[in-house]
Structure formats: C-alpha cells, structure tokens
Amino acid sequence: MQRETNVHRMYAPGAVLALCLPCFLTGIVFSYEYGEDYSDSYYNEISNGDRVQSEGTQIPCPPLDLSRWDKLFIMLEDSQMKQNILHQQTEDMVKKEIDFIRKDLHKLNNNKACVQASENTCKCISEQMNRNLKQVMEQLREAADSHQAQNNETLQQLIQLSRHQASRLTKLELGAGLGQVAVKSFSVYPKEQEASSADGGKLERALTAATADLQRVHAQLALFQRATVHRYLPSGCEMALLFPMRSKHIFAEVTPSMSMSLQTFTLCLWAKVTQSLKKTVLFSYGTKINPQELQLLLAGRSLLLKVSGDTGLVEAPGVVTDGQWGHFCATWSSKQGLADLWVNGESVARVSGVAEGHELPSDGFILLGQESSRSGIYRDLDSTVVFTGKMTGVNMWDHVLEAERIKEYANQDGSCDSRGNVIGWGISEIIPHGGAQYIN
C-alpha cells in the first residue's frame, strides 16, 4: 500500500514504468523457458590428453542485457529506498532534537527558580552590607568625636598645668627673694644670728630645698614650652602649609581676592623654616615681563623685601632662626617709596626711595615657597630657592597697617582672626602642588 502511494506521487514517467512492469517480468520468464541449454558445456574441464585450444574464456553467468527502462526502474526503486531511509533518519533526528529541547526547556524552567532565589539572596546580602556600612560609619563618627573630645580635654589639662607651673614658679621666686632678705638680715645682726643659729640652719636647709625645687620647675617649664612650640601652631590658626622637602615641584599657588594692581600693601605671614639658604623664597609675585616683581625671602639669617625686581631692596640681618616660628611683615608705599620690615612685632628695617612711583601690575602669579620662572612654565622652576618648613597666617592688605596692628598680629594668640582684603588666610584660594599639603 505504501509503495502504491509512493508510485502515485511520482510524475508521468514513473507511472509509465509501473505499467510496463508486468511485461518486463513476462519477458524474463519466457527467456528462462526458451533459453539455450548449457547442460553439455563444462567450464574449466581439462582433457586427459592434449591441451584444449579455445578462443576465449567463457563466463558461466553472463550479465543480463538490461534495457534503458529496466535501468530506470532499478534506479527509481533504489532512490525510493534511499528516500525512505533518509526520511526515517530525519524523523529520528527530529525526535532526538525535540527531546533535547524539551530537556533544556525543563532545565531552564528549573533554573528560573534558582535565578530568582539568587537575586533574592543578593538583595538580602546587599541590604545587610549597607546596614553594616552605616553602622561602621556611625561608629567611626562616634570614635572621631570621642577622639576630638579627648584631644580638647588634653589641651585644657596642658593649659591648666602650664598655669599651675607658672603660679608655682612665681611663689618659689617670691620665697627665694624672702630667703635672700632673711640672709641679709642675719648678716646685719650677727649677735641675733648667733643666738638663733639653730633656726638659721633650718632656714638655710629650707632655702636650699626651695632652690632645688625652683630649678626643677624651671627645667620642666622649659621642656613644656619646647614641646608646645614644636607641636602647636602659632597665631591661633587651625591649619598650616607643610613644605616637606626642597623640590622645584613643591609650592603653593595663591589666587588673590582682588586685583594686585597696588601702590601700597602690607604683607604678613608666619613661617618656620627648616633651613634658610642663600636665597629662600617665602612669597613671590611675578609676571611674564618681571618674574620677581614682588618677593619676601630669606637669606641665611636675614629677611629681605624686593619690589620691582632688584631695584628696590630692603634687608634686615640677623632676625631669622632656623626651626623656630617667626612672624614676618613687610609694608610698602609707592608715594614716597617707604618700605618697612617687621619681625615678631618689632620694626627691624626702614628704607625710603624703594620703587618710588611704581605700581604693581595686575597680570601676575602668586606663589608661596617658590618664585615664578621667566618662561612661566612650572617645569622650569628653580629647586635651589624652595622654602622647606611650615607656613600659616598668610595675609595681604591693599594699604599700610599701623604699627599697633602689626604688633597685635604678631601675638601668637588670635592673629588669624583678622584677614587681609587682598589675600585672606582661610578665605582666599591657596592650592598646594607637588608634596605640599595642609596640616593641623
């Protein structure tokens, strides 16, 4: 039935071949009935005598001489078998692929639950980490507040200790003065001294003990003062600029709060230099035309002020000490060319005729701890003039301050409370470069 169905599907030549099939089979039967008789022939028979001479070797089963239609039928039958085989193989492959796809879909459906569970787990872990992070941040804030409170308490204790030591020192000095008066009175009245020799011995031992206590108090007070000077910043400022080493890349750039086109100014700052060389720059204002338009610098133990380059120079020798805080101020007026230098609230140099009638240009750059190069490029800076140490309380005004105010600002308590209108410490933009950094 299947074969007939397949035959119907073939086109016209196949149908013709199917109709000719009975005739072909009948011809084959008749050929067997009326064919030649090969019973008397013996293939491969050899005689006992002479060798039989034959023209050729005879084939016992000669191939049939198939017609063109026979060959076509055989080819069609083989093609049909191949098609059936291929069809069966294709169905088997499709079934296998469908089974594989079903298995994969089943696995995928099972994995969706795992993915959802993983997402829920990750969300829970993320929320827990956020809660832990918030708790840690709160603990850090509490620890920082506690540390700050402890530092403030320690500072108050140190201040009270300093006051107590000072009062004790005053009492001991008064006691020593009374002891010296008593000794003088004993020398004036020798008879009374001999009469009370026992009391005099006790008083002498008491004075000796008081002197020893006084010396110990002096040593403790000096040690405390050195520790205080080394640890704490002057002028009541909460921060300072640290220039840790001598490198041309270490400096600070200042952006003034107003134009630098000035005919008068006052410049003040606190500085603690590690080592003052032949030329160590504290403050420098320069332009492309004149990189050294205005400079406040150190040279060994001297303090120098330059206005309009080397033409206007003011120098105060022997006023700088390495490793100690110093308050340095410079004032200048273009009207009379009058320039002054102040160190720790004292006037140390006064010169007239310095850049008289000159006006500072406005298109320059301000550097702390370094001077501008003539090319205006930072890589061309000079490492030999770099300031090393600490600096704070940098202020500049567009007028000349009175002497009383300069002395007031030189006081180590509260001078950072007043700020300049050209440069104000803690207000104007001061950006450290290289290894320079803010400390407190």
Side-chain angles (χ1 to χ4, degrees):
M1 188 68 173
Q2 182 178 2
R3 184 171 182 178
E4 291 178 359
T5 304
N6 292 329
V7 169
H8 284 298
R9 291 179 182 176
M10 298 178 182
Y11 39 85
V16 173
L17 288 176
L19 294 174
C20 296
L21 178 60
C23 298
F24 177 71
L25 293 175
T26 305
I28 293 174
V29 172
F30 283 110
S31 67
Y32 279 106
E33 291 180 354
Y34 299 101
E36 294 179 359
D37 187 8
Y38 295 98
S39 59
D40 294 335
S41 299
Y42 299 94
Y43 184 70
N44 290 337
E45 181 180 359
I46 302 174
S47 62
N48 294 329
D50 297 335
R51 177 178 299 179
V52 179
Q53 299 293 332
S54 61
E55 294 181 356
T57 304
Q58 294 181 357
I59 300 174
C61 297
L64 297 176
D65 187 9
L66 300 177
S67 64
R68 182 168 62 88
W69 295 106
D70 296 335
K71 293 179 181 180
L72 286 174
F73 179 78
I74 294 171
M75 289 175 62
L76 289 172
E77 188 175 20
D78 293 341
S79 174
Q80 182 63 34
M81 292 178 63
K82 291 181 181 179
Q83 286 182 0
N84 293 335
I85 293 172
L86 291 174
H87 181 69
Q88 186 65 32
Q89 291 179 351
T90 304
E91 288 181 352
D92 295 340
M93 291 176 63
V94 169
K95 289 180 180 179
K96 291 181 181 179
E97 291 295 332
I98 292 174
D99 292 338
F100 288 150
I101 292 172
R102 287 176 179 174
K103 292 179 181 179
D104 292 339
L105 290 174
H106 183 68
K107 291 180 181 179
L108 183 60
N109 291 329
N110 293 336
N111 289 333
K112 286 183 178 179
C114 297
V115 170
Q116 186 66 29
S118 300
E119 290 179 355
N120 295 334
T121 304
C122 292
K123 288 180 180 179
C124 294
I125 294 174
S126 177
E127 292 175 357
Q128 185 175 2
M129 290 180 66
N130 290 331
R131 289 194 298 268
N132 293 336
L133 181 59
K134 289 180 180 179
Q135 292 178 359
V136 171
M137 292 298 295
E138 291 177 358
Q139 292 176 0
L140 288 175
R141 291 192 190 97
E142 292 177 356
D145 295 339
S146 176
H147 184 67
Q148 184 67 27
Q150 290 179 0
N151 289 339
N152 294 334
E153 185 178 356
T154 303
L155 180 60
Q156 293 297 329
Q157 291 177 358
L158 289 173
I159 293 173
Q160 292 178 0
L161 178 61
S162 175
R163 293 175 180 175
H164 177 69
Q165 296 290 353
S167 62
R168 185 178 177 185
L169 178 62
T170 302
K171 291 179 181 179
L172 289 174
E173 288 177 350
L174 292 175
L178 293 175
Q180 292 178 359
V181 172
V183 171
K184 289 181 180 179
S185 63
F186 283 132
S187 62
V188 174
Y189 303 101
K191 293 182 179 180
E192 295 179 0
Q193 183 179 3
E194 291 175 358
S196 56
S197 58
D199 295 336
K202 293 180 180 180
L203 181 59
E204 185 177 358
R205 288 191 297 272
L207 290 174
T208 302
T211 304
D213 290 340
L214 184 61
Q215 291 176 353
R216 283 195 298 270
V217 170
H218 272 294
Q220 292 177 1
L221 185 60
L223 181 62
F224 176 75
Q225 288 177 346
R226 287 196 298 270
T228 303
V229 170
H230 178 73
R231 180 178 177 83
Y232 295 102
L233 300 176
S235 72
C237 297
E238 297 180 355
M239 61 182 179
L241 276 171
L242 173 65
F243 301 85
M245 65 183 71
R246 187 171 286 111
S247 170
K248 67 179 182 180
H249 303 292
I250 297 178
F251 59 92
E253 185 178 1
V254 182
T255 301
S257 301
M258 59 180 295
S259 174
M260 285 292 293
S261 180
L262 304 174
Q263 294 183 349
T264 58
F265 68 80
T266 299
L267 173 64
C268 293
L269 57 87
W270 283 92
K272 180 182 178 182
V273 60
T274 303
Q275 184 182 17
S276 178
L277 301 180
K278 185 177 180 181
K279 181 180 180 181
T280 301
V281 178
L282 296 175
F283 181 96
S284 177
Y285 174 70
T287 62
K288 294 182 179 180
I289 299 175
N290 187 2
Q292 301 176 4
E293 180 66 32
L294 169 62
Q295 286 188 330
L296 182 64
L297 49 91
L298 306 177
R301 296 196 61 202
S302 300
L303 176 67
L304 290 83
L305 172 66
K306 286 185 178 181
V307 182
S308 185
D310 295 331
T311 58
L313 177 63
V314 184
E315 181 177 1
V319 295
V320 180
T321 303
D322 292 345
Q324 293 186 8
W325 283 103
H327 186 257
F328 306 107
C329 279
T331 64
W332 172 77
S333 175
S334 173
K335 186 176 181 180
Q336 299 177 354
L338 188 61
D340 289 85
L341 289 176
W342 297 73
V343 177
N344 297 328
E346 300 292 334
S347 178
V348 293
R350 185 180 179 88
V351 179
S352 60
V354 177
E356 185 175 356
H358 180 69
E359 181 178 353
L360 298 179
S362 60
D363 56 345
F365 301 93
I366 302 176
L367 300 181
L368 298 179
Q370 177 63 279
E371 66 180 5
S372 302
S373 63
R374 294 190 177 276
S375 63
I377 303 175
Y378 286 157
R379 67 170 178 266
D380 296 334
L381 299 178
D382 188 2
S383 61
T384 62
V385 301
V386 174
F387 170 82
T388 57
K390 300 176 182 178
M391 190 181 302
T392 186
V394 181
N395 290 286
M396 188 174 187
W397 294 263
D398 62 350
H399 56 275
V400 176
L401 293 180
E402 298 177 354
E404 290 76 11
R405 293 189 63 185
I406 295 177
K407 292 179 180 179
E408 180 182 352
Y409 295 154
N411 186 5
Q412 293 194 5
D413 294 329
S415 68
C416 265
D417 296 337
S418 299
R419 296 173 176 85
N421 59 346
V422 180
I423 299 174
W425 180 255
I427 297 178
S428 299
E429 182 180 20
I430 301 178
I431 302 176
H433 291 271
Q437 57 183 326
Y438 283 103
I439 60 172
N440 50 23

